[in-house]
């Protein structure tokens, strides 16, 4: 019998408990037996399974009429696995980068129309910039996520722009044409530097992390207060670039791919 959950979450809780019934020992379930297992009416179980089937989370065997877990769950599991491997590989390099810069180091990914920090090394200085693990932030503001936006497919970039651009500070780019030019510049130079776009007084530099296919899967960034970052940005740029390349190489990105990112893209003198 399913334990009682808060009313608003009861359906979600039922579905999660249902999915947990599928095991190696019992990979297939019929509607009737699932209802008996969960203490639910057959009609309720059927509606839940039909919804999951439409979304690809379960599949129905046409011969036995029983249900098994679908590929959607496999895809999500693979995504979690890739992120865990990325974090494990990146963590030692991030720690070294944190020591070199004494600023906060972030590892971020794009998820739908948002950016998410999945790993961080916080600065030990009293005044610092940081990000909450797992918190969703806009893709178009701030070096860690603006770089990710630049490497998304055109349709995803269009979706972010169409979703309305909010000015978090006076430095946030909210004009679609200007943002498009910014993203083109990021792709051309292979990195992103921003000042005060998401938080007043903060600054950051970010480089892409690429996998064996040369695809950008994350960003590595150094973020901190603008009053410290501005004068030392060239040094932070060099350290961040070196660290991002080191992580990418461990993920199978070939050196020639890495060199292609930065053809003619040295540190800006302006």
């Amino acid at each position: 019998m399913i334990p009682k959950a808060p009313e608003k979450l009861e359906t979600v809780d039922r579905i999660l408990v249902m999915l947990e019934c599928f095991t190696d020992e019992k990979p297939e379930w019929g509607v009737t037996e699932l209802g008996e297992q969960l203490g639910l009416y057959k009609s309720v179980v059927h509606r839940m399974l039909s919804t999951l089937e439409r979304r690809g989370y379960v599949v129905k065997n046409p011969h036995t009429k029983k249900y098994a877990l679908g590929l959607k769950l496999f895809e999500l599991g693979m995504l979690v696995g890739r992120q865990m491997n990325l974090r494990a590989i990146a963590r030692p390099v991030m720690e070294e980068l944190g020591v070199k810069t004494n600023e906060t180091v972030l590892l971020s990914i794009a998820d739908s129309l948002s950016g998410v920090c999945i790993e961080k090394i916080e600065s030990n200085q009293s005044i610092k910039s940081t990000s909450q693990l797992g918190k969703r932030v806009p893709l178009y503001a701030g070096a860690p996520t603006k770089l990710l936006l630049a490497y998304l497919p055109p349709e995803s970039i269009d979706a972010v722009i169409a979703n309305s651009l909010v000015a978090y500070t006076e430095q946030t780019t909210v004009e679609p044409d200007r943002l498009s030019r910014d993203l083109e510049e990021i792709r051309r130079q292979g990195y992103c530097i921003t000042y005060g776009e998401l938080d007043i007084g903060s600054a950051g530099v970010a480089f892409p992390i690429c996998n064996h296919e040369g695809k950008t899967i994350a960003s590595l960034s150094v973020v901190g207060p603008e009053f410290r970052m501005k004068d030392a940005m060239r040094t932070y740029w060099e350290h961040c670039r070196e660290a991002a390349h080191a992580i990418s190489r461990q993920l199978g990105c070939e050196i020639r791919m890495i060199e292609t990112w930065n053809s003619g893209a040295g540190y800006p003198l302006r």
Side-chain angles (χ1 to χ4, degrees):
M1 185 72 77
I2 299 178
K4 188 70 173 176
E7 185 176 350
K8 289 184 178 179
L9 297 178
E10 189 170 350
T11 300
V12 176
D13 190 63
R14 284 175 172 177
I15 289 176
L16 292 175
V17 172
M18 174 185 286
L19 290 174
E20 291 171 358
C21 289
F22 293 89
T23 64
D24 286 336
E25 293 74 24
K26 182 69 173 173
E28 285 192 341
W29 286 85
V31 175
T32 301
E33 58 183 344
L34 254 182
E36 294 173 353
Q37 175 74 14
L38 300 173
L40 296 173
Y41 289 113
K42 181 179 177 180
S43 58
V44 174
V45 173
H46 185 266
R47 287 199 300 271
M48 292 164 66
L49 286 170
S50 296
T51 299
L52 290 170
E53 184 181 16
R54 285 198 304 272
R55 305 289 296 182
Y57 288 93
V58 299
V59 292
K60 186 177 182 179
N61 187 316
H63 303 293
T64 65
K65 307 301 181 183
K66 292 186 176 184
Y67 292 83
L69 296 180
L71 285 177
K72 188 64 177 179
L73 287 169
F74 177 76
E75 292 172 3
L76 293 175
M78 290 296 291
L79 175 61
V80 172
R82 287 195 297 271
Q83 291 179 7
M84 290 178 66
N85 290 338
L86 172 60
R87 291 175 62 193
I89 290 171
R91 180 82 189 188
V93 180
M94 293 174 66
E95 290 174 346
E96 184 178 351
L97 181 58
V99 170
K100 288 180 178 178
T101 62
N102 205 18
E103 300 290 355
T104 296
V105 178
L106 305 178
L107 180 68
S108 306
I109 62 169
D111 182 48
S112 187
L113 301 183
S114 302
V116 180
C117 175
I118 62 171
E119 188 60 275
K120 66 177 178 177
I121 305 295
E122 284 206 352
S123 169
N124 57 16
Q125 303 199 64
S126 56
I127 301 177
K128 61 189 176 184
S129 294
T130 187
S131 180
Q132 183 179 335
L133 288 176
K135 181 181 179 180
R136 292 184 175 275
V137 294
L139 280 170
Y140 58 89
T145 53
K146 196 171 185 178
L147 180 135
L148 292 170
L149 179 60
Y151 288 99
L152 288 180
E155 58 271 19
S156 297
I157 295 176
D158 292 342
V160 170
I161 294 176
N163 203 40
S164 75
L165 305 175
V166 178
Y168 292 88
T169 73
E170 292 182 355
Q171 302 303 317
T172 308
T173 304
V174 293
E175 299 82 10
D177 290 343
R178 182 183 165 194
L179 179 58
S180 295
R181 291 194 298 271
D182 286 353
L183 300 179
E184 184 178 348
E185 178 72 2
I186 291 169
R187 289 189 294 269
R188 184 194 67 78
Q189 64 189 15
Y191 63 89
C192 179
I193 293 176
T194 61
Y195 292 97
E197 287 193 355
L198 188 59
D199 298 298
I200 296 174
S202 67
V205 54
F207 277 85
I209 292 176
C210 291
N211 63 12
H212 64 285
E213 297 176 332
K215 179 182 177 181
T216 297
I217 60 172
S219 72
L220 181 70
S221 57
V222 177
V223 297
E226 185 174 337
F227 72 85
R228 278 202 311 262
M229 293 282 291
K230 198 164 188 178
D231 292 338
M233 185 59 81
R234 182 173 190 126
T235 299
Y236 295 152
W237 179 91
E238 292 172 346
H239 289 321
C240 189
R241 178 178 184 269
E242 180 183 333
H245 289 187
I247 296 170
S248 296
R249 282 194 294 268
Q250 291 187 59
L251 292 172
C253 184
E254 296 181 13
I255 294 177
R256 61 180 177 81
M257 292 181 181
I258 296 174
E259 291 173 344
T260 300
W261 298 344
N262 297 296
S263 54
Y267 183 80
L269 298 179
R270 60 182 182 277

